[in-house]
Amino acid sequence: ATKCSDISELTPVGVITRICKKKYPYPTRKGVKTLISKICGRQCDTCPATATPSQTPSVYECGDDNDFRFNYTDNKSPDQKATKCSDISELTPVGVITRICKKKYPYPTRKGVKTLISKICGR
């Protein structure tokens, strides 16, 4: 698995259980090692599945569910772009991640109160 959405496709169930117990440097490869179950809560069944997960408070506790969309293009590195929370960890250098986490977007809808991406994406 290379991203959270890959986890639910793994078989048998024991493989999912093992991967969810592993730790991975997060949000970047230089970050503190964090349990995969905390990073990918929905896939590891540590978050409740809801009909509209991005529009419930669970996203704050459970991190990215990839339903919330936004458009971010870094001013200093225009080739660095993100449209969903899982894109953030792919951004380089680390300064780009720092900048995006300080941005605010209307949440949970385009008409909502502006909220820090770091809160929306659980970063």
Side-chain angles (χ1 to χ4, degrees):
T2 58
K3 56 188 180 279
C4 291
S5 59
D6 292 344
I7 293 173
S8 56
E9 296 172 14
L10 299 173
T11 55
V13 174
V15 174
I16 295 173
T17 303
R18 286 193 298 278
I19 196 167
C20 290
K21 291 179 180 178
K22 295 280 184 188
K23 288 187 175 185
Y24 188 80
Y26 183 77
T28 66
R29 289 190 174 105
K30 296 177 184 174
V32 175
K33 285 194 173 186
T34 305
L35 283 170
I36 294 288
S37 62
K38 294 215 180 255
I39 300 167
C40 305
R42 294 194 193 286
Q43 292 78 9
C44 292
D45 290 329
T46 55
C47 289
T50 59
T52 55
S54 282
Q55 297 184 16
T56 65
S58 68
V59 74
Y60 290 99
E61 299 166 17
C62 300
D64 178 23
D65 61 12
N66 274 330
D67 284 345
F68 178 70
R69 301 286 182 189
F70 54 91
N71 278 316
Y72 176 80
T73 301
D74 191 69
N75 290 334
K76 293 183 181 180
S77 302
D79 60 320
Q80 297 297 304
K81 300 175 183 186
T83 59
K84 58 187 182 288
C85 293
S86 62
D87 293 342
I88 295 173
S89 58
E90 304 294 323
L91 300 173
T92 57
V94 174
V96 177
I97 294 172
T98 303
R99 286 190 291 277
I100 191 172
C101 287
K102 292 179 181 177
K103 289 287 185 186
K104 290 184 176 184
Y105 286 88
Y107 182 79
T109 65
R110 289 191 174 110
K111 296 177 183 175
V113 175
K114 285 193 172 186
T115 305
L116 285 170
I117 281 290
S118 59
K119 293 235 184 243
I120 296 168
C121 297
R123 300 268 193 258

